[in-house]
Amino acid sequence: MTDTATTTTNLNKFEKFKAEKDGLAVKGEIEKFAALGWEAMDEIDRDHRLKWVGVFFRPVTPGKFMMRLRMPNGILTSSQMGVLAQVVQRYGDDGCADITTRQNIQLRGIRIEDLPDIFNRFDTVGLTSVQSGMDNVRNITGDPVAGLDADELYDTRELVQQIQDMLTNKGEGNPEFSNLPRKFNIAITGGRDNSVHAEINDLAFVPAFQEAGEQNLASVHSQQKIFGFNVLVGGFFSAKRCEAAIPLNAWVLPEDVVAVCRAVLEVFRDHGPRANRQKSRLMWLIDQWGLEKFRAEVENRLGKSFLPAAAKDEIDWEKRDHIGVYKQKEPGLNYVGLHIPVGRLYAEDMFEIARLAQVYGSGEIRFTVEQNIVLPNISDSRLATFLTEPLLERFSIDPGLLTRSLVSCTGAQFCNFALIETKNRALAMIKALEEDLTFTKPVRIHWTGCPNSCGQPQVADIGLMGTKTRKNGKTLEAVDIYMGGKVGKDAHLGTCVIKSIPCEDLQPVLQDLLIKSFGAKPR
Ligand code: SRM
Ligand code: SF4
């Protein structure tokens, strides 16, 4: 099937177990695993293959699994949220959920014996967790205010759903794309502020117009300016290397986006390097081949040539965080962004969010890549009452200027890669800094527990990446500090500026940076 994985000799451990049994095969074995229990299960099934159905063994909390859903464009209904709340509720103190940096949700405390029931419940409300981990395409991100924003150029919701349906066979699982060389991220943005961080995805579509005359498009389209997307490829973060996506020099019509995703993924699946997992993301294939050959191979799969990229894209706004109350394009309606501290939710919060969406809105709930929630379709007449709801005291529409932009990965509480504790520490640090300083603008601080960069420190104003350091003969939790990440218009990645600050010494260092570089003032 592939250039590099044609024989099973010399394959790395992951390629070997994938060749022996496809990850998706576990879908038919859930009842068996539930009956066996996690301790008696085959270890490869338990630790790896279960991730093909979104179930993650947590070595930090053995027997209490994490489930990663798929939330196309970050959108769910209140009934879906209700089901997710019921699932975590049964685990008492072990049960909670995290909104992720890919506009998605993960559930915690899951026991393997409950999986058959959980999957049945998911089915009743149209939820799926399939192919959300390991060598699969992750949750596909789109504009969190798609269809609500008067200034958007394209409503991404339908396209994101179509891509997910193609990749996952409508949530049932699709063996065509269940053995990629590595994980793969896709984002589509139709707004002006790049709310999805297009530049850090393996494949991204950003809005761009072509002049009808210039590209011989006049025959198919009557308008002068034709809407489509410029295509970016190869963006990724890993412990070894981080790259922003580069232009493929291709412009595609919305109706071709699904086919382009398929073509790129087929090329990646069949030719992507598989020998070394540290060198398997799409950019490594582009390096190996050169962009021209990669582009030609994708065209070959697509069965037609790309038009060259439009000269400029339409990302010309600073990035919005969507926290607060905003008018929708439809008169009389509003969307309200609630700040969810480090994305952490408990069952009672989830029931309450579902209720608020139902009572005040249209029952719809949305997630952002900043791990927050947007409730759309709240009418002018209900808005004032909505704003008096007690939940908004904790999930504020007007948090402090550091708090509102805080992002944090899972960290040591549940993740065995973590070198430091993140979420609780991040919250405590922000509180202390807001007590000591005043701010005139938000400062985006992102915490990530290890160099895998799930908390995206490279896109932050100040990124904090977990590490270990030595001080007075002791090993301590520490951070490397990143700065210079720019999001929205002219997005680019930040770089490491200070290394190995022990977490116990971090507060004065951050205080200094906030004063010198972001105009903060001591109170
Ligand atoms: Fe991630 C692995 C959590 C977004 C790069 N990531 C993991 C694992 C699965 C490791 C593990 O098994 O413990 C973490 C699960 C911990 C847990 O219990 O929650 C984990 N990643 C997360 C989440 C939950 C962070 C968060 O708090 O929001 C995000 C889930 C997104 C989702 O819904 O699918 C998450 N991870 C990201 C991102 C950000 C993004 O996509 O914009 C990145 C960097 C971008 C990228 O992938 O290019 C990211 N995660 C990684 C990597 C490094 C990938 C690589 O090529 O080396 C790993 C390690 C790996 O895959 O081997 C990883
Ligand atoms: Fe775990 Fe590291 Fe990802 Fe944080 S960055 S969730 S610690 S793998």
Side-chain angles (χ1 to χ4, degrees), residues 108-309:
R108 302 200 182 273
I110 308 296
R111 307 298 197 273
I112 198 131
E113 57 272 24
D114 298 332
L115 285 182
D117 173 58
I118 293 174
F119 282 122
N120 281 338
R121 284 169 190 251
F122 284 1
D123 279 347
T124 61
V125 287
L127 282 171
T128 182
S129 57
V130 81
Q131 286 165 264
S132 59
M134 280 298 288
D135 298 347
N136 286 293
V137 179
R138 296 287 183 278
N139 194 46
I140 302 161
T141 56
D143 294 296
V145 290
L148 313 174
D149 177 7
D151 295 298
E152 82 182 347
L153 300 159
Y154 192 84
D155 177 349
T156 53
R157 289 176 294 177
E158 187 58 35
L159 265 186
V160 171
Q161 184 69 54
Q162 285 173 8
I163 301 169
Q164 171 166 312
D165 287 348
M166 181 268 289
L167 292 172
T168 66
N169 183 24
K170 299 206 161 121
E172 291 298 309
N174 182 356
E176 272 186 289
F177 297 110
S178 63
N179 184 359
L180 300 175
R182 205 61 166 91
K183 71 185 288 194
F184 195 92
N185 291 329
I186 302 178
I188 311 185
T189 177
R192 294 196 165 275
D193 72 336
N194 186 16
S195 55
V196 294
H197 301 307
E199 70 285 2
I200 64 172
N201 284 263
D202 297 273
L203 174 60
F205 298 87
V206 295
F209 288 100
Q210 291 277 17
E211 299 295 330
E214 273 180 30
Q215 303 291 355
N216 254 346
L217 286 159
S219 54
V220 279
H221 280 263
S222 50
Q223 307 95 312
Q224 270 305 100
K225 280 173 100 186
I226 299 160
F227 179 81
F229 297 98
N230 277 350
V231 182
L232 307 178
V233 286
F236 78 112
F237 297 158
S238 73
K240 288 269 176 292
R241 179 180 174 197
C242 294
E243 293 289 346
I246 56 173
L248 182 62
N249 187 22
W251 177 86
V252 296
L253 289 165
E255 53 264 41
D256 289 333
V257 165
V258 178
V260 171
C261 289
R262 171 175 270 282
V264 169
L265 279 160
E266 284 178 359
V267 171
F268 179 54
R269 178 194 64 197
D270 296 348
H271 302 283
R274 290 175 184 253
N276 175 352
R277 285 184 70 78
Q278 292 301 331
K279 297 187 173 178
S280 296
R281 297 289 293 272
L282 181 65
M283 188 59 109
W284 294 97
L285 175 64
I286 297 171
D287 286 350
Q288 199 179 311
W289 275 1
L291 192 64
E292 278 315 306
K293 176 171 174 189
F294 175 73
R295 189 175 184 276
E297 280 295 328
V298 175
E299 284 178 326
N300 197 17
R301 295 287 174 136
L302 195 59
K304 63 178 172 186
S305 301
F306 281 124
L307 290 173

Side-chain angles (χ1 to χ4, degrees), residues 51 56 58 66 68-69 98-106 108 132 138-139 182-183 185 200-202 235-239 277-278 281 371 408-410 414-417 423 452-456:
K51 293 179 184 167
F56 290 59
R58 299 292 71 201
M66 178 269 276
R68 180 184 285 168
L69 277 290
D98 287 317
I99 304 172
T100 77
T101 52
R102 291 200 70 80
Q103 248 185 347
N104 193 7
I105 197 162
Q106 298 186 162
R108 302 200 182 273
S132 59
R138 296 287 183 278
N139 194 46
R182 205 61 166 91
K183 71 185 288 194
N185 291 329
I200 64 172
N201 284 263
D202 297 273
F236 78 112
F237 297 158
S238 73
R277 285 184 70 78
Q278 292 301 331
R281 297 289 293 272
Q371 305 171 317
S408 173
C409 85
T410 306
F414 297 111
C415 180
N416 57 305
F417 286 107
K423 286 196 189 257
N452 282 330
S453 298
C454 306
Q456 311 152 326

Side-chain angles (χ1 to χ4, degrees), residues 22-52:
D22 189 81
L24 266 185
V26 299
K27 191 164 182 256
E29 297 179 278
I30 297 299
E31 298 273 358
K32 184 179 90 189
F33 298 152
L36 265 178
W38 68 273
E39 281 160 305
M41 273 180 71
D42 172 81
E43 276 188 25
I44 306 247
D45 285 343
R46 184 192 69 191
D47 299 358
H48 301 294
R49 291 197 191 95
L50 268 179
K51 293 179 184 167
W52 268 258

